[in-house]
Amino acid sequence: VSELDSAVANITGAFDKAGLWEETVLVFSTDNGGIGMGKNYPLRGSKVNMWEGGIRGVGFVRGASAIPAGRVPNGTVSHRLMHTTDWLPTLSRLAKVDAAREVRLPLDGVDQWEVLASGGEKPAVRHSILHGIVPEACHAVLSTSGWSTSSCLDTVDPSITGGCHSFGIIGGAIRIGDMKLLLSGANGSLTQGLESSVPENTPQYPPQGFEPSTNDTVPLSVNGTYLFNITADPTESLNLVGRPEFDALLSQMKDAYQKAASAPSTKLNLCLLYTSPSPRDS
């Protein structure tokens, strides 16, 4: 941590020395949860899975005090929904660049600057996040050497070498408003040996030597499905699947997930990651 602190100080010091610091916006953010046990408590899970401990990030923004359009109120906190893809249109806006026009392709991100500049007081501009998805019609391939997966791109390019693993071929999650749907993707013998991005029976890992004051629980899967109110239940402890009052919402969220999984753009962008019997045809 001290090395990181020193590195950031070197960067900010260089901007200050050049007379640019008061015109600079600084964004400092995690990319994902910590690896292994005890790094994300009380959130559930860890890096590389779709539980909140793996995907929830924290960060801060230091505004540019010399530029009115770049100011951020001191000491404010925002809990508005935001995704990493939002940084491109957000920072482009500050640079007076139309990102969508420059890229010439639809952007996944939305401009969040008004929300940040208001200290989180402005209404949310993002209402959903597709945390992870396995595209429809893209299948894992079992060969004599094992499963072809996102790390096995040597099936496409023989010059690529490296170990393969089966993680993430099954499982996915979507967030809409306060609610989050997780699908483990487990389907008996058809998925035996595959590691889901939503591993079932995932606990909260308290740091070594720490005794929790709460009664931590492991939510029960209902046919590989979980539904949580993340605002009220950020530790994902109470699975709402099976409660009649949430049946309609569960159906809507499953439909939204399926729509994304079957979208042509999803297949085009992700099929090579998950491979198919003939990867070159994906």
Side-chain angles (χ1 to χ4, degrees):
V1 173
S2 68
E3 291 295 329
L4 179 61
D5 191 48
S6 297
V8 174
N10 291 339
I11 294 172
T12 57
F15 275 80
D16 192 30
K17 186 177 180 178
L20 299 173
W21 182 235
E22 299 307 321
E23 299 177 1
T24 298
V25 172
L26 172 70
V27 177
F28 193 94
S29 175
T30 60
D31 54 351
N32 43 247
I35 301 174
M37 300 189 301
K39 301 182 184 299
N40 307 300
Y41 189 84
L43 300 180
R44 189 174 307 281
S46 58
K47 178 182 176 180
V48 305
N49 63 52
M50 299 298 164
W51 296 102
E52 287 295 287
I55 61 174
R56 181 179 290 213
V58 295
F60 66 84
V61 178
R62 184 266 184 189
S65 57
I67 304 175
R71 292 175 183 166
V72 175
N74 293 334
T76 54
V77 178
S78 173
H79 294 284
R80 300 297 189 198
L81 206 56
M82 187 171 183
H83 188 263
T84 186
T85 56
D86 296 339
W87 285 120
L88 174 60
T90 299
L91 298 179
S92 296
R93 177 254 185 88
L94 286 179
K96 299 181 179 179
V97 172
D98 186 340
R101 180 173 158 185
E102 292 295 326
V103 174
R104 301 179 188 177
L105 291 171
L107 295 179
D108 293 319
V110 295
D111 181 359
Q112 294 269 11
W113 188 253
E114 290 296 330
V115 174
L116 296 172
S118 70
E121 294 297 321
K122 288 288 184 69
V125 292
R126 172 179 286 281
H127 304 284
S128 65
I129 293 178
L130 188 60
H131 288 308
I133 196 166
V134 176
E136 188 180 78
C138 299
H139 306 290
V141 181
L142 183 61
S143 64
T144 55
S145 59
W147 289 98
S148 291
T149 75
S150 58
S151 66
C152 297
L153 290 182
D154 56 328
T155 58
V156 180
D157 184 352
S159 67
I160 298 176
T161 59
C164 296
H165 60 77
S166 62
F167 182 82
I169 299 181
I170 59 174
I174 187 172
R175 170 85 178 263
I176 300 178
D178 295 326
M179 309 303 292
K180 179 180 174 184
L181 170 71
L182 297 100
L183 303 169
S184 73
N187 188 21
S189 61
L190 293 178
T191 54
Q192 190 172 8
L194 298 180
E195 297 177 64
S196 174
S197 57
V198 184
E200 296 185 15
N201 302 315
T202 297
Q204 298 157 265
Y205 298 111
Q208 187 174 6
F210 174 75
E211 292 295 333
S213 59
T214 57
N215 295 318
D216 296 343
T217 61
V218 176
L220 296 177
S221 162
V222 179
N223 298 320
T225 305
Y226 301 88
L227 180 67
F228 302 103
N229 183 324
I230 295 299
T231 302
D233 179 25
T235 61
E236 298 167 299
S237 297
L238 180 61
N239 188 3
L240 301 173
V241 175
R243 297 195 175 193
E245 63 268 33
F246 292 101
D247 285 350
L249 176 62
L250 177 62
S251 178
Q252 292 171 11
M253 294 191 72
K254 283 185 173 181
D255 287 346
Y257 181 91
Q258 188 59 38
K259 182 178 180 180
S262 60
S265 59
T266 303
K267 296 179 184 179
L268 176 64
N269 292 330
L270 295 181
C271 266
L272 279 179
L273 290 180
Y274 292 91
T275 75
S276 69
S278 178
R280 294 183 184 279
D281 294 336
S282 297

